[in-house]
Amino acid sequence: MHEIILCKLGEVVLKGLNRHSFEMKLMSNIRRRTQRCGKFKIYSRQSTIYVEPAEETCDLDAAYDACKKVFGIIAIARAVPCPKEKEAIFATAKEYLGPALLAARSFKVESKRSDKSFPMGSIQLSQWVGGALHDAFPHLTVDVHNPELTVYLEVREDAAYAHGPAEAAAGGLPIGMGGHAVSLLSGGIDSPVSSYMIAKRGVQLELLHFASPPYTSQQAREKVLQLAQELTVWCGRLTVHIVPFTEIQEEIRRKCPEDHFTLIMRRFMMRLADRLAHELCCKALVTGESLGQVASQTIQALCVSDDVATMPVLRPLIGMDKEEIVRIARHVGTFDTSILPYEDCCTVFTPRHPKTKPNLEEVREYEAALDIDGLCGKALAGRELIRLYPQQ
């Protein structure tokens, strides 16, 4: 049978005059993510995007898995089209969903008639096909409240479609419609989750990682690249900017008080991210900070960090606890990599008693001993770019 994929739109349908641009971007993202699975015809009709194989060699299973992780799609189903005639709809449902109907003990039929020229109403179609299916599978009982299987019928503009229950998809907005931002990526649990969450709002990301060899290992670097690779499943292609941070940390250690080390280090990270963002024409920075989780994430400390940024700092995890963040990390698929025992630069020279309520003017005075522009310029000049693509 000629299976296709039906991608149901989420909040895209709430857009006004610019809805078309959201749908075009979403179809472009789907096309890019499915291109390794074969050639597909991708088009939009009545709040649904259709992904139809154009060749017999198309890998529909791989395309389905890829589409399920494209932001902008709220639900997804495999379906079979047929002529808009009640007998054809019944025959298609019987054949396509036959194995599922044989395995179930109860069922119901739900119909949606988008084509109002179809002679039967939704309830009439459900009753007629439901009765015919019950005759064909007499072991089934009808249960309209809690059926084991729901048969879905859709009568649309081009054809009618039969399918089983849809699966939840990524949701959110199409990547590219929410702007462009630099996201700071460490090797921990939080920053990959914050990158995922802001990408879900349609933001195209550039990932920035700070490396401090020899204090951080090659394994730590590979861990971060693995996290970025795991994010491509959701975010599509990504570029990781690896910035050398050792000299900056050593200078801070030599010339600044120990209890202010983390604060001043964070300010340098924000400066570097801000400069990179301007260079790449990004409009925001993204971090994985959660209020009060560690000493550098108090309100006062965050104010000190933000002081050096010239653009908005987005913190999607700011009100979340660790249990919530871990749950999302497991869903995204980054948790197991994040807990590998290779530490990043944030753990280098950690003060025994970090300052939790810093004074901004005092921090600025301590920084006056450092060649800020020189250190930042040298670090950015030594950065490395690594481009990653989703793998099937």
Side-chain angles (χ1 to χ4, degrees):
M1 304 185 79
H2 181 63
E3 269 189 303
I4 69 170
I5 300 171
L6 301 179
C7 301
K8 307 291 186 176
L9 304 186
E11 42 183 312
V12 170
V13 302
L14 303 177
K15 300 301 175 183
L17 296 176
N18 61 346
R19 173 175 165 175
H20 179 68
S21 61
F22 279 81
E23 291 187 357
M24 293 299 292
K25 173 58 73 172
L26 179 52
M27 286 190 287
S28 174
N29 292 346
I30 293 172
R31 191 170 291 110
R32 184 180 299 113
R33 298 286 287 279
T34 58
Q35 63 184 357
R36 297 185 181 183
C37 310
K39 187 177 180 180
F40 291 86
K41 180 182 178 184
I42 298 168
Y43 53 97
S44 177
R45 299 278 193 281
Q46 297 171 312
S47 301
T48 298
I49 289 178
Y50 298 73
V51 181
E52 183 176 352
E55 301 170 338
E56 291 186 2
T57 55
C58 289
D59 187 343
L60 197 68
D61 291 337
Y64 181 86
D65 289 339
C67 289
K68 196 160 71 168
K69 295 180 174 65
V70 174
F71 291 126
I73 302 171
I74 195 171
I76 185 170
R78 293 168 73 144
V80 172
C82 65
K84 292 187 284 186
E85 302 166 357
K86 65 179 183 180
E87 292 83 3
I89 295 171
F90 158 67
T92 301
K94 177 185 174 183
E95 182 181 356
Y96 182 53
L97 298 173
L101 287 163
L102 284 170
R105 289 173 296 182
S106 62
F107 84 114
K108 73 172 180 177
V109 177
E110 284 193 9
S111 302
K112 180 179 180 181
R113 187 188 62 152
S114 299
D115 180 1
K116 302 307 179 185
S117 67
F118 187 72
M120 301 175 73
S122 297
I123 295 176
Q124 289 176 304
L125 180 61
S126 294
Q127 290 174 337
W128 191 89
V129 173
L133 287 173
H134 189 264
D135 291 341
F137 300 92
H139 72 285
L140 288 171
T141 59
V142 176
D143 185 344
V144 297
H145 298 294
N146 296 295
E148 283 191 18
L149 175 67
T150 300
V151 175
Y152 291 91
L153 308 175
E154 301 187 36
V155 182
R156 292 180 166 270
E157 182 180 330
D158 296 331
Y161 301 87
H163 62 85
E167 286 191 78
L173 295 171
I175 285 182
M177 296 305 295
H180 203 183
V182 169
S183 184
L184 282 69
L185 182 68
S186 71
I189 296 172
D190 300 347
S191 60
V193 173
S194 69
S195 297
Y196 160 84
M197 291 184 67
I198 211 68
K200 188 174 182 177
R201 303 312 305 156
V203 178
Q204 179 71 48
L205 296 178
E206 300 280 342
L207 301 181
L208 171 58
H209 176 68
F210 299 99
S212 297
Y215 305 108
T216 56
S217 64
Q218 179 65 25
Q219 291 96 325
R221 170 194 166 96
E222 295 304 319
K223 172 184 174 180
V224 168
L225 292 178
Q226 179 61 31
L227 287 171
Q229 185 66 62
E230 289 161 355
L231 285 172
T232 63
V233 172
W234 305 92
C235 303
R237 57 191 178 186
L238 289 169
T239 300
V240 184
H241 303 257
I242 300 179
V243 172
F245 204 58
T246 307
E247 184 176 353
I248 291 174
Q249 289 184 294
E250 290 177 338
E251 280 291 287
I252 297 171
R253 186 189 190 191
R254 280 195 293 267
K255 298 181 179 179
C256 300
E258 182 192 10
D259 62 345
H260 280 70
F261 176 85
T262 302
L263 288 165
I264 295 174
M265 178 190 74
R266 291 293 300 176
R267 281 168 64 87
F268 268 92
M269 288 180 173
M270 298 300 278
R271 285 190 183 97
L272 291 164
D274 193 82
R275 294 187 185 194
L276 180 63
H278 280 290
E279 180 182 324
L280 299 173
C281 297
C282 296
K283 301 302 180 184
L285 309 179
V286 183
T287 75
E289 290 151 323
S290 172
L291 189 61
Q293 189 176 116
V294 296
S296 63
Q297 295 175 13
T298 62
I299 288 179
Q300 295 92 329
L302 295 177
C303 288
V304 168
S305 296
D306 286 0
D307 172 63
V308 297
T310 64
M311 59 183 64
V313 181
L314 308 179
R315 295 184 170 96
L317 311 186
I318 196 67
M320 301 177 67
D321 62 34
K322 201 67 177 184
E323 185 177 339
E324 293 173 292
I325 298 169
V326 166
R327 184 168 62 249
I328 298 173
R330 292 186 186 278
H331 167 70
V332 174
T334 56
F335 179 76
D336 289 340
T337 302
S338 290
I339 61 174
L340 292 174
Y342 308 122
E343 297 180 330
D344 56 40
C345 70
C346 294
T347 61
V348 177
F349 310 141
T350 303
R352 288 167 295 178
H353 304 289
K355 195 79 170 177
T356 59
K357 296 181 180 180
N359 178 277
L360 178 57
E361 293 305 319
E362 190 176 44
V363 172
R364 288 172 175 169
E365 288 179 14
Y366 293 143
E367 282 185 336
L370 303 169
D371 178 12
I372 294 172
D373 287 338
L375 289 168
C376 288
K378 187 174 180 181
L380 286 176
R383 80 178 187 268
E384 179 183 359
L385 273 66
I386 299 175
R387 291 184 172 85
L388 301 172
Y389 300 87
Q391 298 175 343
Q392 298 296 334

